[in-house]
Amino acid sequence: MVDDPELLLALLNSRPVLDGAERDELGDERSGRAWATAHGGAGTAGELRRLRAVREELTEVVLGKRAPSVLAHALEGVHQRPVLDDDGLSWELVTGADALLPARAVLAWAWAAEHLPGRLRPCGNEECRLFLLDRSKANKARWCSMATCGNRMKARRHYERNRPQAQQ
C-alpha cells in the first residue's frame, strides 16, 4: 500500500471554499496540470479527468455516502514491481501515466483506513469543505485548521452563549 496521506489530503482538499466561493485547483487545465505535477503526476488531460473522478468518489466514500468498491476502477491494471538497488528492496507502483497519481491517492486512502481508522474525516465546520487526518493521541481533532475553522467555530459558540437576549 502507499503511505502518502499528504497526497490524499491534498486531493480531497483541492476544492476549498474561500470567501464563499469554490476554488477548484483541478478546475482548468493550467491549474490542474500544476497541481498534478507538484504531486508527482504527469499533468495530462487524461490524468486530470481521472483525478477529478477519484476526488469525487473519495469524498463520497470518506463521507460514508458510497461504498469503497466505487474506487476499484482506479486500481485496474495497477501492480507493484520489486526494485533492488544498493539501498535494498523497494516496491514500485506500475500502471499507465494517466492512472498513476489517482491510483496512489486511492492506495493512500486504503492505507489511512487500515492504519488510522476513523481519523480521516471532514472538518467540523459545516461551511468548510476540507478534510483532516487526525494524528492526535486522543483522536479528538475537529477542524481542518485551528487558525481558521477552529477559531471561527469557537467564536461563534461564544457569541451564541453570550449574546444579549432580544427585547420582547
Side-chain angles (χ1 to χ4, degrees):
M1 279 201 224
V2 175
D3 172 5
D4 195 353
E6 285 71 31
L7 171 63
L8 173 62
L9 282 176
L11 183 58
L12 286 170
N13 293 338
S14 64
R15 287 183 29 188
V17 175
L18 303 171
D19 298 322
E22 177 185 277
R23 192 183 104 222
D24 187 350
E25 297 175 18
L26 303 176
D28 62 64
E29 294 299 314
R30 194 174 113 224
S31 62
R33 189 175 311 111
W35 188 96
T37 56
H39 292 89
T44 64
E47 180 181 56
L48 292 178
R49 276 192 305 278
R50 288 174 185 238
L51 279 170
R52 290 179 193 119
V54 165
R55 175 182 61 188
E56 296 309 311
E57 293 160 351
L58 279 168
T59 298
E60 291 176 344
V61 168
V62 173
L63 293 174
K65 295 179 179 179
R66 296 189 72 184
S69 59
V70 72
L71 300 166
H73 71 91
L75 300 178
E76 290 176 7
V78 176
H79 62 277
Q80 290 187 325
R81 174 176 46 217
V83 177
L84 193 57
D85 59 21
D86 292 341
D87 294 325
L89 178 69
S90 62
W91 293 89
E92 177 182 48
L93 197 60
V94 179
T95 190
D98 288 352
L100 185 59
L101 195 53
R104 283 181 47 218
V106 170
L107 291 171
W109 165 82
W111 180 89
E114 180 180 341
H115 292 91
L116 302 169
R119 291 180 175 259
L120 177 63
R121 55 182 166 261
C123 178
N125 178 357
E126 293 178 8
E127 297 169 6
C128 181
R129 185 181 287 172
L130 301 181
F131 291 83
L132 64 117
L133 186 58
D134 185 356
R135 294 184 176 111
S136 71
K137 187 174 183 179
N139 192 22
K140 294 191 184 269
R142 296 172 59 186
W143 303 290
C144 63
S145 164
M146 188 59 206
T148 53
C149 288
N151 276 340
R152 277 190 206 125
M153 298 305 293
K154 286 183 173 190
R156 187 175 296 157
R157 283 198 318 262
H158 176 76
Y159 174 77
E160 291 297 320
R161 279 193 312 266
N162 297 304
R163 72 180 172 163
Q165 296 298 320
Q167 297 281 330
Q168 294 197 24

